[in-house]
């Protein structure tokens, strides 16, 4: 990339010169080089505006940049040595400053790929469909607010040969400390970064938020809960009916969550507000709680005093019928309204993932490097937050400097207005070339 400052930059529209510019300056502050910040804004613009797949070529074409700009965009995301962790931390702080987050939640994603060369791609079983899928697996951390669910951090799950094949790891520039580990361990890595150990400094207003998780396909629910307990946070986790638990008083007996549902007289309902993904919904809702507590021992023996006791909830379907959705929590009956609010998290994160796929190119990264994948996921997260928190110009505005000489000719793109895209329909991502 050229290090020359662009000439003939057009001025930014007035509605991006305050809120939007302040947001981008805050989030991209860890990018110490002005050239990196310029290309970050241009990549951001392309993620929001480019039609079809968000490849560097399509993003350059949509911005009316010269063909050489596609190579510069590729270099920015795939080979430029900027650290993504500080940008993500700044993003989480900006989301907290611009909204009122009330929970953390996690999305476990499978990203289909046709090839086998993209970092992390291999054949794996999809626990939800039972099918064998060739692709990447990612664990995203989201902040839940009243209106949106914002992605702020990502982990690439390195399974199969990516955990031991030295040649593959070197080619993909995978750090030595990045090892193969289960999804539950990735969740706890996120918790260590954002919940933090007790008494440790964290981002204002975020370290004490409750964690709402879908653990219906986890192989170590007890281990994940034990790990979160060490951070002293409130938890609300959905578990499968087959989940093994210990129930009873002095002499707890092994059983399953589904078996406990059928015990008459052991459940009682209490009123709460029905959770809604968008807008208030005041229809009455009864949550059912088991009369006793349950314990979920981790598969590996812990050092924190053994398994803890949790309440077990049975959440009815929207029509009021008793279904097979169960949740464990350390929140008491006095927090019924809070539990109902937290139940919105899983639906909110599904909606956010669909928007990231359709409107922000989350699954469109074509590079093969570990840093490149993390750079792209960071940029899609910033684009999503900017579209909902930054002030945008009118749709269709081209990036400043787009019609001037390109970066391959000694010029670089200027600050780019990045308006919000129209919301896309929910779809399963098509398999990308890997």
């Amino acid at each position: 990339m050229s290090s020359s400052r662009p000439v003939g930059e057009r001025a930014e529209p007035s509605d991006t010169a305050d809120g939007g510019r302040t947001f981008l300056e805050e989030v991209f502050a860890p990018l110490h080089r002005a050239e990196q910040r310029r290309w970050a804004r241009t990549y951001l613009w392309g993620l929001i505006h480019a039609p079809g797949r968000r490849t560097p070529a399509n993003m350059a074409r949509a911005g009316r940049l010269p063909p050489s700009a596609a190579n510069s965009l590729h270099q920015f995301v795939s080979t430029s040595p900027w650290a993504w962790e500080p940008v993500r931390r700044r993003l989480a702080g900006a989301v907290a400053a611009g909204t009122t987050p009330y929970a953390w939640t996690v999305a476990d994603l499978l990203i289909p790929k046709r090839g086998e060369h993209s970092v992390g791609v291999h054949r794996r079983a999809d626990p939800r469909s039972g099918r064998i899928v060739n692709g990447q697996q990612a664990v995203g951390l989201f902040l839940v607010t009243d209106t949106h669910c914002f992605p702020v951090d990502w982990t690439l799950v390195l399974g199969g040969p990516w955990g031991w094949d030295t040649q593959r790891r070197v080619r993909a520039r995978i750090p030595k400390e990045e090892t193969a580990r289960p999804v539950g361990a990735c969740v706890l890595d996120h918790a260590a970064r954002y919940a933090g150990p007790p008494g440790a400094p964290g981002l204002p207003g975020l370290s004490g938020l409750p964690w709402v998780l879908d653990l219906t396909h986890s192989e170590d629910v007890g281990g994940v809960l034990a790990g979160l307990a060490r951070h002293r946070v409130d938890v609300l986790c959905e578990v499968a009916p087959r989940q093994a638990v210990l129930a009873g008083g002095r002499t707890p007996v092994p059983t399953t969550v589904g078996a406990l549902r059928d015990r008459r007289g052991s459940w009682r309902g209490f009123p709460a507000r029905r959770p809604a993904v968008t807008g208030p919904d005041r229809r009455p809702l009864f949550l059912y709680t088991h009369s006793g507590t349950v314990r979920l021992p981790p598969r590996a023996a812990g050092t924190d005093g053994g398994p803890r006791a949790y309440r077990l909830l049975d959440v009815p379907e929207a029509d009021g019928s008793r279904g097979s959705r169960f949740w464990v929590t350390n929140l008491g009956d006095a927090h019924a309204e809070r539990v109902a609010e937290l139940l919105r998290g899983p639906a909110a994160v599904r909606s956010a993932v669909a928007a990231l796929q359709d409107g922000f190119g989350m699954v469109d990264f074509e590079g093969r490097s570990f840093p490149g994948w993390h750079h792209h996921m960071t940029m899609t997260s910033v684009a999503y937050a900017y579209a909902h928190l930054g002030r945008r110009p009118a749709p269709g505005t081209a990036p400043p400097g787009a019609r001037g000489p390109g970066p391959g000719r000694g010029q670089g793109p200027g600050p780019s207005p990045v308006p919000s895209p129209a919301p896309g329909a929910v779809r399963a991502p098509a398999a990308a070339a890997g």
Side-chain angles (χ1 to χ4, degrees):
M1 293 184 226
S2 169
S3 59
S4 304
R5 291 186 60 83
V7 295
E9 286 185 1
R10 294 185 296 180
E12 289 191 56
S14 60
D15 57 354
T16 62
D18 43 22
R21 176 176 288 177
T22 300
F23 176 87
L24 295 182
E25 287 178 349
E26 168 64 20
V27 174
F28 291 144
L31 303 181
H32 299 300
R33 297 171 55 191
E35 181 187 26
Q36 289 176 328
R37 295 192 293 273
R38 290 196 300 270
W39 282 109
R41 291 191 293 267
T42 302
Y43 198 91
L44 197 73
W45 189 94
L47 287 174
I48 293 177
H49 279 277
R53 291 178 56 77
R54 270 61 164 193
T55 63
N58 283 346
M59 290 192 285
R61 190 178 303 114
R64 301 190 297 279
L65 294 168
S68 58
N71 183 58
S72 295
L73 288 168
H74 173 76
Q75 290 179 20
F76 166 74
V77 76
S78 292
T79 63
S80 183
W82 54 274
W84 57 87
E85 297 93 340
V87 176
R88 293 177 181 178
R89 195 165 180 85
R90 289 289 188 114
L91 174 61
V95 170
T99 64
T100 306
Y102 65 84
W104 293 105
T105 192
V106 168
D108 175 13
L109 311 175
L110 281 179
I111 303 174
K113 294 283 184 179
R114 288 195 298 268
E116 59 180 17
H117 300 293
S118 291
V119 60
V121 169
H122 71 100
R123 294 176 63 81
R124 68 188 81 213
D126 181 351
R128 291 167 177 80
S129 67
R131 298 170 49 237
I132 300 298
V133 177
N134 186 70
Q136 297 164 323
Q137 185 174 17
V139 178
L141 179 66
F142 291 71
L143 276 171
V144 187
T145 74
D146 286 335
T147 55
H148 295 95
C149 206
F150 293 91
V152 297
D153 202 6
W154 295 93
T155 299
L156 181 63
V157 181
L158 298 174
W162 295 96
W164 52 263
D165 189 325
T166 302
Q167 290 186 344
R168 284 196 183 201
R169 291 175 60 87
V170 170
R171 283 197 301 265
R173 293 156 48 209
I174 299 174
K176 292 181 179 179
E177 63 271 16
E178 291 291 335
T179 59
R181 57 194 188 277
V183 170
C186 297
V187 173
L188 295 182
D189 288 344
H190 286 306
R193 285 192 288 270
Y194 290 92
L203 291 171
L206 297 183
S207 58
L209 294 180
W211 287 66
V212 184
L213 304 174
D214 179 356
L215 299 180
T216 53
H217 299 285
S218 174
E219 297 180 355
D220 189 14
V221 175
V224 174
L225 290 177
L228 291 174
R230 288 191 286 271
H231 296 289
R232 301 179 185 175
V233 295
D234 293 331
V235 296
L236 179 66
C237 302
E238 185 173 6
V239 298
R242 66 180 183 279
Q243 174 62 47
V245 294
L246 298 175
R250 295 181 178 178
T251 56
V253 295
T255 183
T256 65
V257 167
L260 289 176
R261 176 189 55 191
D262 300 327
R263 294 187 181 180
R264 296 183 179 180
S266 62
W267 295 84
R268 61 187 180 89
F270 58 93
R273 299 292 185 187
R274 178 176 298 280
V277 176
T278 57
D281 187 342
R282 298 303 180 183
R283 291 176 296 167
L285 169 70
F286 274 84
L287 303 179
Y288 292 86
T289 180
H290 188 256
S291 57
T293 59
V294 297
R295 298 176 185 271
L296 297 92
R299 295 174 64 188
T303 59
D304 55 354
R308 292 169 172 81
Y310 294 90
R311 296 173 61 233
L312 177 62
L313 303 177
D314 181 358
V315 179
E317 302 294 341
D319 59 4
S321 62
R322 298 285 294 277
S324 298
R325 298 191 63 183
F326 299 94
W327 301 73
V328 294
T329 182
N330 56 2
L331 294 167
D333 287 356
H335 299 90
E337 296 290 342
R338 190 182 187 195
V339 168
E341 180 183 45
L342 294 176
L343 287 171
R344 295 187 300 177
V349 78
R350 288 193 294 270
S351 177
V353 167
L356 286 162
Q357 292 172 351
D358 292 334
F360 300 91
M362 180 184 70
V363 299
D364 293 342
F365 177 65
E366 292 185 345
R368 298 180 179 182
S369 74
F370 182 86
W373 184 88
H374 275 283
H375 287 162
H376 178 78
M377 298 301 279
T378 300
M379 294 302 300
T380 60
S381 301
V382 175
Y384 182 88
Y386 183 89
H388 294 99
L389 298 179
R391 298 183 63 182
R392 285 87 66 188
T397 306
R403 297 180 181 178
R409 304 174 188 174
Q411 309 298 334
S416 305
V418 279
S420 174
V426 176
R427 62 170 172 79

